[in-house]
Amino acid sequence: MGDGPSETVGQLLRAARDRLGARSESAGLDAELLLAAALGKPRSFLYAWPDHVPTASVRERFDHALTDRLEGQPVAYTLGVREFFGLELAVSPAVLIPRPDTELLVEHAVAHIDAGHAVADLGTGSGAIALAVAHERPGARVLATDASPAALAVARANARRLDLRVDLVAGDWCAPLADASVDCLLCNPPYIAEGDPHLAALSAEPASALVSGRDGLDALRAIVAQAPRVLRPGGRIVLEHGFEQAAAVRALLAEAGFRDIDSERDLGGHERISFGRLRD
Ligand code: GLN
């Protein structure tokens, strides 16, 4: 990396940006987030004190973080946190890093969730969806399932640090849920097809949270098939899916007895969530 022990914040950032440039589309932002974390300061410190000369141990931490990033580690895993729907969530390689796309699912869901509703988030991972709903709708009862004990531990720690009430239960998708007990079923399942070239850039994240069979629809098929058992009549399902899967998910929902089926586009203009209501 840099040449001397006297490099300033500004010089370190420039060198890091160049070094990360080939690897990351967000090299400048990555460099800033990692240097601020190594310094134990907010990002604004970097703009306020470009001539500050970090200590050797800060430089060493920063250099390690840059090496990890160059080897494909997402910045969120290095920082150990990621913001989602205004909440700071702890993340580790046991869970998918929450994406802005999934905020669309939360926004759509909370518009239909009232006090007293029972909401379930399937495959909660870090707890992102469940915790955002619990935060937005304190009167709702929120349950979340995950098959991974390591993921549940992350979600539990997040519930504690945010002081939000979510009932976390171990198990596959709807398996832990009682019959006709849920008003609103939410899920961001794995939906990438095996062998999809996008997976190369996602190799640090758990494959079980990303990949789902030859067409990416295995989990969505299982969830839609299970949903009518756990939803109350008229209950709502909201599912995230891949940008080319909306028509397939709408067809699955229709086949399973849902009505008022539709999809919504994400900020990139892709149909990203589909939803419907169980027949009464
Ligand atoms: N939206 C994620 C991505 O493509 C995938 C998340 C998922 O499979 N649920 O990066």
mmCIF file of all heavy atoms in Angstrom, residues 96 99 101 188-192 202 209-211 240 272, ligand 1:
data_model
loop_
_atom_site.group_PDB
_atom_site.id
_atom_site.type_symbol
_atom_site.label_atom_id
_atom_site.label_comp_id
_atom_site.label_asym_id
_atom_site.label_seq_id
_atom_site.Cartn_x
_atom_site.Cartn_y
_atom_site.Cartn_z
ATOM 1 N N LEU A 96 -27.234 -13.792 4.754
ATOM 2 C CA LEU A 96 -27.236 -12.923 3.583
ATOM 3 C C LEU A 96 -27.162 -11.468 4.049
ATOM 4 O O LEU A 96 -27.779 -11.101 5.047
ATOM 5 C CB LEU A 96 -28.555 -13.141 2.818
ATOM 6 C CG LEU A 96 -28.693 -12.428 1.478
ATOM 7 C CD1 LEU A 96 -27.977 -13.224 0.393
ATOM 8 C CD2 LEU A 96 -30.157 -12.257 1.103
ATOM 9 N N ARG A 99 -30.409 -6.448 1.383
ATOM 10 C CA ARG A 99 -30.291 -5.626 0.176
ATOM 11 C C ARG A 99 -31.357 -4.533 0.170
ATOM 12 O O ARG A 99 -32.461 -4.748 0.659
ATOM 13 C CB ARG A 99 -30.542 -6.465 -1.083
ATOM 14 C CG ARG A 99 -29.766 -7.759 -1.189
ATOM 15 C CD ARG A 99 -28.345 -7.466 -1.619
ATOM 16 N NE ARG A 99 -27.718 -8.607 -2.260
ATOM 17 C CZ ARG A 99 -26.995 -9.540 -1.643
ATOM 18 N NH1 ARG A 99 -26.864 -9.529 -0.337
ATOM 19 N NH2 ARG A 99 -26.411 -10.486 -2.345
ATOM 20 N N ASP A 101 -33.181 -3.855 -2.260
ATOM 21 C CA ASP A 101 -34.348 -4.437 -2.954
ATOM 22 C C ASP A 101 -35.400 -4.921 -1.972
ATOM 23 O O ASP A 101 -36.602 -4.818 -2.208
ATOM 24 C CB ASP A 101 -33.927 -5.666 -3.782
ATOM 25 C CG ASP A 101 -33.117 -5.292 -5.004
ATOM 26 O OD1 ASP A 101 -33.132 -4.098 -5.369
ATOM 27 O OD2 ASP A 101 -32.478 -6.188 -5.576
ATOM 28 N N ASN A 188 -38.048 -13.417 1.684
ATOM 29 C CA ASN A 188 -37.035 -13.210 0.653
ATOM 30 C C ASN A 188 -36.239 -14.509 0.578
ATOM 31 O O ASN A 188 -35.244 -14.675 1.263
ATOM 32 C CB ASN A 188 -36.105 -12.046 1.017
ATOM 33 C CG ASN A 188 -34.915 -11.963 0.065
ATOM 34 O OD1 ASN A 188 -34.986 -12.453 -1.061
ATOM 35 N ND2 ASN A 188 -33.823 -11.374 0.520
ATOM 36 N N PRO A 189 -36.722 -15.447 -0.245
ATOM 37 C CA PRO A 189 -36.081 -16.775 -0.279
ATOM 38 C C PRO A 189 -34.843 -16.759 -1.177
ATOM 39 O O PRO A 189 -34.604 -15.776 -1.872
ATOM 40 C CB PRO A 189 -37.179 -17.630 -0.921
ATOM 41 C CG PRO A 189 -37.827 -16.690 -1.880
ATOM 42 C CD PRO A 189 -37.797 -15.326 -1.226
ATOM 43 N N PRO A 190 -34.073 -17.836 -1.166
ATOM 44 C CA PRO A 190 -33.054 -17.971 -2.219
ATOM 45 C C PRO A 190 -33.784 -18.117 -3.549
ATOM 46 O O PRO A 190 -34.790 -18.820 -3.618
ATOM 47 C CB PRO A 190 -32.322 -19.254 -1.834
ATOM 48 C CG PRO A 190 -33.276 -20.018 -0.979
ATOM 49 C CD PRO A 190 -34.132 -19.001 -0.282
ATOM 50 N N TYR A 191 -33.279 -17.444 -4.590
ATOM 51 C CA TYR A 191 -33.990 -17.565 -5.874
ATOM 52 C C TYR A 191 -33.069 -17.523 -7.090
ATOM 53 O O TYR A 191 -33.495 -17.282 -8.208
ATOM 54 C CB TYR A 191 -35.097 -16.511 -5.980
ATOM 55 C CG TYR A 191 -34.698 -15.065 -5.721
ATOM 56 C CD1 TYR A 191 -33.885 -14.367 -6.608
ATOM 57 C CD2 TYR A 191 -35.193 -14.382 -4.603
ATOM 58 C CE1 TYR A 191 -33.555 -13.040 -6.391
ATOM 59 C CE2 TYR A 191 -34.876 -13.048 -4.370
ATOM 60 C CZ TYR A 191 -34.049 -12.382 -5.275
ATOM 61 O OH TYR A 191 -33.740 -11.060 -5.049
ATOM 62 N N ILE A 192 -31.793 -17.732 -6.865
ATOM 63 C CA ILE A 192 -30.859 -17.742 -7.995
ATOM 64 C C ILE A 192 -30.686 -19.194 -8.474
ATOM 65 O O ILE A 192 -30.636 -20.123 -7.659
ATOM 66 C CB ILE A 192 -29.512 -17.124 -7.580
ATOM 67 C CG1 ILE A 192 -29.740 -15.671 -7.100
ATOM 68 C CG2 ILE A 192 -28.518 -17.150 -8.733
ATOM 69 C CD1 ILE A 192 -28.492 -14.984 -6.578
ATOM 70 N N LEU A 202 -21.024 -13.405 -5.433
ATOM 71 C CA LEU A 202 -21.730 -13.551 -4.150
ATOM 72 C C LEU A 202 -21.145 -14.692 -3.325
ATOM 73 O O LEU A 202 -21.785 -15.176 -2.387
ATOM 74 C CB LEU A 202 -23.225 -13.820 -4.411
ATOM 75 C CG LEU A 202 -23.938 -12.799 -5.302
ATOM 76 C CD1 LEU A 202 -25.364 -13.278 -5.622
ATOM 77 C CD2 LEU A 202 -23.983 -11.433 -4.640
ATOM 78 N N ALA A 209 -28.810 -19.288 1.201
ATOM 79 C CA ALA A 209 -29.657 -18.097 1.166
ATOM 80 C C ALA A 209 -29.794 -17.529 -0.238
ATOM 81 O O ALA A 209 -30.541 -16.581 -0.454
ATOM 82 C CB ALA A 209 -29.089 -17.022 2.096
ATOM 83 N N LEU A 210 -29.069 -18.114 -1.194
ATOM 84 C CA LEU A 210 -29.018 -17.541 -2.547
ATOM 85 C C LEU A 210 -29.528 -18.474 -3.634
ATOM 86 O O LEU A 210 -30.240 -18.066 -4.528
ATOM 87 C CB LEU A 210 -27.559 -17.181 -2.888
ATOM 88 C CG LEU A 210 -26.930 -16.029 -2.124
ATOM 89 C CD1 LEU A 210 -25.420 -16.028 -2.309
ATOM 90 C CD2 LEU A 210 -27.512 -14.713 -2.599
ATOM 91 N N VAL A 211 -29.135 -19.743 -3.547
ATOM 92 C CA VAL A 211 -29.314 -20.668 -4.666
ATOM 93 C C VAL A 211 -30.479 -21.604 -4.390
ATOM 94 O O VAL A 211 -30.608 -22.127 -3.287
ATOM 95 C CB VAL A 211 -28.030 -21.514 -4.875
ATOM 96 C CG1 VAL A 211 -28.120 -22.294 -6.169
ATOM 97 C CG2 VAL A 211 -26.802 -20.631 -4.870
ATOM 98 N N GLU A 240 -40.326 -11.913 -2.338
ATOM 99 C CA GLU A 240 -39.303 -11.364 -3.228
ATOM 100 C C GLU A 240 -38.861 -12.470 -4.187
ATOM 101 O O GLU A 240 -38.908 -13.656 -3.852
ATOM 102 C CB GLU A 240 -38.100 -10.861 -2.414
ATOM 103 C CG GLU A 240 -37.035 -10.231 -3.316
ATOM 104 C CD GLU A 240 -35.874 -9.580 -2.546
ATOM 105 O OE1 GLU A 240 -36.111 -9.045 -1.446
ATOM 106 O OE2 GLU A 240 -34.748 -9.616 -3.079
ATOM 107 N N ARG A 272 -39.879 -7.212 -8.757
ATOM 108 C CA ARG A 272 -39.017 -7.782 -7.705
ATOM 109 C C ARG A 272 -39.815 -8.472 -6.605
ATOM 110 O O ARG A 272 -39.302 -9.344 -5.919
ATOM 111 C CB ARG A 272 -38.163 -6.650 -7.099
ATOM 112 C CG ARG A 272 -37.213 -7.048 -6.012
ATOM 113 C CD ARG A 272 -36.186 -8.052 -6.460
ATOM 114 N NE ARG A 272 -35.334 -7.527 -7.498
ATOM 115 C CZ ARG A 272 -34.425 -8.241 -8.151
ATOM 116 N NH1 ARG A 272 -34.225 -9.512 -7.859
ATOM 117 N NH2 ARG A 272 -33.704 -7.690 -9.119
HETATM 118 N N1 GLN B 1 -31.095 -10.145 -4.573
HETATM 119 C C1 GLN B 1 -29.940 -10.927 -4.262
HETATM 120 C C2 GLN B 1 -28.905 -10.742 -5.319
HETATM 121 O O1 GLN B 1 -29.127 -11.066 -6.464
HETATM 122 C C3 GLN B 1 -30.285 -12.382 -4.093
HETATM 123 C C4 GLN B 1 -30.985 -12.600 -2.815
HETATM 124 C C5 GLN B 1 -31.769 -13.856 -2.818
HETATM 125 O O2 GLN B 1 -31.512 -14.845 -3.480
HETATM 126 N N2 GLN B 1 -32.777 -13.825 -2.020
HETATM 127 O O3 GLN B 1 -27.862 -10.231 -5.024
#
